[in-house]
Amino acid sequence: MAAACAWDALPEHLQERILSLLPLTALLPVAAASRALRRLLRSRAFHALLTPHRLDAFFLLSPRLAFHPLSRRLLPAPPAASPPVVSSPSHLVTAASLLRLPPLPATSYLLAVVLPIPASSSSSSSCSREFTLVAVTAGARVRSYTLDSADPSPRWDPRGDLPLPFALLGNAAGDRRQLFVLGRGPDAILVFDLATGQWTVLPAAMPLGLTTAHLFVFGGRLFLVGGVERFGVVERVLVWRLEGSEAAAEWTEVGAMPEEVFDELVAGRHGSFWHFQAADRMGIVCLYNAVDGRLVMFDAVDGGWTRLSRVSGLDVEESRRWFGHVVEPRVELLLG
């Protein structure tokens, strides 16, 4: 009772400040504690204080299942009608949503969707937010295009050509100002300036033996997590951070997946395992072996690795289409 009275004695604005530090999904049981707390959590003043929490997200594994980092559990996924084509944590671009926009330029595909950093979780739903789509063409000469949804008449604007031919492009990571894109064949990091539309190649030698790889940005730093192969087989998984200036950058190893976590990821298939998928949000990176239903997590804050619940009962091809996309919970959860 004394603890309850101490909380009740706090001014409402301090209660709001304290509760706003919690993940959104952690507030659901709080809302059920009392009418006063439920009223506070549903107020616009409280919603204006909310910002995305790094542990509060859903890493999609299928249209029905997602991994939730905060609880370390597999939970029912937020409703989604079809697999996203490309996404950011707060905006999913599906084939159906593309029908409302001008057709993609010939032979091109979507590389990234870029959103401004949200001021708070009280913003309007993700479908009404402004965003920029980045598309690139396939082939030896790679062209790029962008579409700005804020334009009253959205259109695909030609941007710069890539400075080198690449066999394929991997994932993109960055912000509203620039994207870092993983180029394969040859291996390189491309930098796309969203303001000028120009591409450059980062002068940093890529790690030797790099196979499956994923870029992510955390704390204003660029990271790379990837498998290191020998004779076509992944032998270990490492994490690198880009150090130095853009003119003299180099990859520095900052972490290695422990042997027991690696054993979990490869499901005992040492000598024949060669590929995993990856997804990230705010320094949380999940690596997924869809064939064997194995999922592990890396946290860039403390460099820790976690073995997660095994995934079963999912169609492998369907799960591969869904994984890689991360959904943030919305403030509507608190509104019932």
Side-chain angles (χ1 to χ4, degrees):
M1 180 64 69
C5 292
W7 172 262
D8 291 340
L10 290 174
E12 186 169 287
H13 71 279
L14 289 182
Q15 293 181 356
E16 291 174 342
R17 289 285 182 181
I18 293 170
L19 292 174
S20 70
L21 300 177
L22 295 175
L24 194 61
T25 50
L27 292 173
L28 295 179
V30 176
S34 71
R35 289 182 179 179
L37 283 171
R38 187 160 54 251
R39 177 185 58 79
L40 183 151
L41 295 178
R42 292 182 174 184
S43 71
R44 290 189 176 184
F46 177 71
H47 296 171
L49 297 174
L50 293 174
T51 57
H53 193 285
R54 60 186 305 272
L55 293 177
D56 205 9
F58 295 92
F59 286 72
L60 299 180
L61 295 165
S62 79
R64 301 169 297 280
L65 191 68
F67 168 67
H68 184 231
L70 178 65
S71 63
R72 300 289 202 274
R73 294 170 55 199
L74 300 176
L75 299 175
S82 59
V85 179
V86 69
S87 68
S88 75
S90 53
H91 193 93
L92 303 182
V93 178
T94 64
S97 64
L98 288 176
L99 296 177
R100 299 190 291 270
L101 299 172
L104 282 163
T107 74
S108 68
Y109 63 93
L110 287 179
L111 179 67
V113 55
V114 183
L115 277 72
I117 299 174
S120 71
S121 296
S122 62
S123 305
S124 58
S125 64
S126 60
C127 61
S128 63
R129 281 183 170 178
E130 297 177 4
F131 59 89
T132 298
L133 294 176
V134 181
V136 293
T137 59
R141 182 184 177 187
V142 182
R143 295 184 170 92
S144 64
Y145 303 84
T146 58
L147 180 147
D148 189 348
S149 69
D151 192 320
S153 301
R155 64 187 185 279
W156 289 103
D157 293 320
R159 311 306 291 270
D161 292 356
L162 272 67
L164 295 172
F166 290 90
L168 58 89
L169 297 179
N171 78 297
D175 53 30
R176 194 69 178 179
R177 297 172 292 278
Q178 62 181 6
L179 286 179
F180 298 96
V181 181
L182 184 62
R184 308 306 305 266
D187 287 355
I189 302 299
L190 295 159
V191 184
F192 179 55
D193 188 307
L194 282 127
T196 65
Q198 297 303 306
W199 294 82
T200 55
V201 176
L202 202 62
M206 299 297 286
L208 295 176
L210 184 67
T211 174
T212 303
H214 182 85
L215 289 174
F216 67 98
V217 173
F218 178 64
R221 309 291 292 276
L222 183 64
F223 292 80
L224 175 68
V225 57
V228 177
E229 68 173 0
R230 186 182 182 195
F231 303 124
V233 175
V234 177
E235 287 196 332
R236 53 186 178 149
V237 175
L238 301 177
V239 181
W240 298 268
R241 184 175 60 223
L242 193 66
E243 304 283 3
S245 63
E246 287 196 7
E250 61 179 4
W251 291 104
T252 300
E253 182 181 324
V254 294
M257 180 182 290
E259 183 176 348
E260 65 274 13
V261 179
F262 183 74
D263 290 343
E264 175 69 18
L265 179 64
V266 305
R269 291 195 289 115
H270 297 278
S272 63
F273 184 81
W274 63 276
H275 180 73
F276 58 82
Q277 294 174 265
D280 72 273
R281 177 185 180 272
M282 299 178 73
I284 300 292
V285 185
C286 287
L287 308 184
Y288 183 41
N289 168 5
V291 173
D292 301 293
R294 304 300 176 90
L295 190 68
V296 303
M297 187 184 83
F298 172 73
D299 191 334
V301 168
D302 58 11
W305 292 88
T306 306
R307 291 178 291 182
L308 304 171
S309 301
R310 295 181 181 179
V311 182
S312 61
L314 297 183
D315 178 86
V316 172
E317 291 306 315
E318 179 185 56
S319 191
R320 281 174 170 165
R321 290 194 298 271
W322 283 88
F323 188 77
H325 304 291
V326 186
V327 179
E328 292 177 342
R330 305 292 297 168
V331 73
E332 285 80 8
L333 281 177
L334 300 178
L335 302 178

